[in-house]
Amino acid sequence: MIAYIKGVFAEADGNAVMIETAGGIAYEVAVMPTDLEKLPAEGEELKLYTYLQVKEDGVALYGFLSKADLTIFKLLITVSGIGPKLGLGILSSIGADELRAAVLSEDADRLAAAPGIGKKTAGRLVIELKDKIMALNLAFAEAFTENAATPKKSESEEAKKLRENALQVLVALGYAEKEAARAVKEVEMTEGMTDDDMVRLSLRQLG
């Protein structure tokens, strides 16, 4: 499996880019139009996190500037009827953060607005991805708590759960995971705090 490709950005051709590695091999990688706008100038270094599709008539590489986008892309193509090309189009249209928020809030209408997605497929996305995205968010919250550089003190399981729940709500509201996790971390835990209190104080941190 090719986890990522790092090399010189040689050229762009439609929605594909050519990356020439140090060994002199140029890889053609399909990317999102939104990522095309963020690419460096030709001749500069470029790193793309990739997904390799192997099929009967050949292979194809799909690349992303963000590892988080690649993670959501891999979840998208687990849904029946959604292949890499359609998944790329959906992610480019909605964006990873908004897609997560739409799935968690069960906003099928927002998902249906993406190209190539009807009401039926949008409903299937919600059903098949909600638990997987929630699991991703919980894993992120746990890692964030465990890896905090200077924890004030060891928190109880109840306190950790409050932070995890608040993180899920903020992501569902459309905030990026990194931004939401920072806000949740900044909230000082007090006795008797509820989920609503935690969300309200986290939102205050976000301004």
Side-chain angles (χ1 to χ4, degrees):
M1 179 175 178
I2 303 174
Y4 66 83
I5 294 178
K6 185 177 181 181
V8 173
F9 174 32
E11 62 177 297
D13 182 12
N15 285 341
V17 299
M18 311 297 176
I19 302 179
E20 184 176 344
T21 63
I25 299 175
Y27 292 88
E28 180 177 329
V29 188
V31 299
M32 300 187 294
T34 48
D35 273 352
L36 275 174
E37 300 170 359
K38 305 172 186 176
L39 295 179
E42 291 184 5
E44 294 186 1
E45 186 177 83
L46 173 62
K47 179 180 179 180
L48 292 175
Y49 297 95
T50 56
Y51 170 80
L52 176 65
Q53 179 192 32
V54 180
K55 49 186 181 178
E56 291 182 1
D57 58 346
V59 298
L61 270 173
Y62 296 84
F64 304 85
L65 291 172
S66 162
K67 196 170 184 179
D69 284 347
L70 173 61
T71 299
I72 295 300
F73 172 78
K74 287 180 177 179
L75 287 183
L76 267 175
I77 61 177
T78 65
V79 177
S80 176
I82 297 182
K85 287 185 179 180
L86 181 54
L88 201 68
I90 296 170
L91 198 53
S92 182
S93 172
I94 299 179
D97 291 335
E98 189 173 348
L99 187 143
R100 281 194 297 265
V103 170
L104 290 174
S105 62
E106 300 184 6
D107 188 354
D109 288 338
R110 177 64 190 95
L111 295 171
I117 299 297
K119 290 265 188 179
K120 186 176 180 180
T121 302
R124 191 160 62 243
L125 280 171
V126 170
I127 293 171
E128 295 190 28
L129 293 185
K130 186 172 182 179
D131 287 346
K132 294 177 182 178
I133 289 177
M134 286 182 68
L136 272 180
N137 290 342
L138 286 173
F140 178 85
E142 289 169 0
F144 184 86
T145 301
E146 291 171 3
N147 295 329
T150 54
K152 296 178 182 179
K153 61 180 180 178
S154 178
E155 291 189 334
S156 66
E157 290 301 315
E158 182 179 356
K160 289 180 182 179
K161 191 64 177 177
L162 282 172
R163 293 193 192 278
E164 291 169 2
N165 290 344
L167 178 60
Q168 289 183 50
V169 172
L170 294 181
V171 171
L173 290 173
Y175 291 99
E177 282 183 355
K178 185 176 181 180
E179 182 184 23
R182 177 194 59 76
V184 169
K185 178 190 174 186
E186 293 297 322
V187 174
E188 184 175 349
M189 196 67 65
T190 58
E191 187 176 352
M193 183 176 285
T194 65
D195 283 330
D196 287 343
D197 293 331
M198 192 68 194
V199 172
R200 175 173 52 80
L201 293 172
S202 297
L203 286 169
R204 187 176 297 174
Q205 294 294 329
L206 291 165

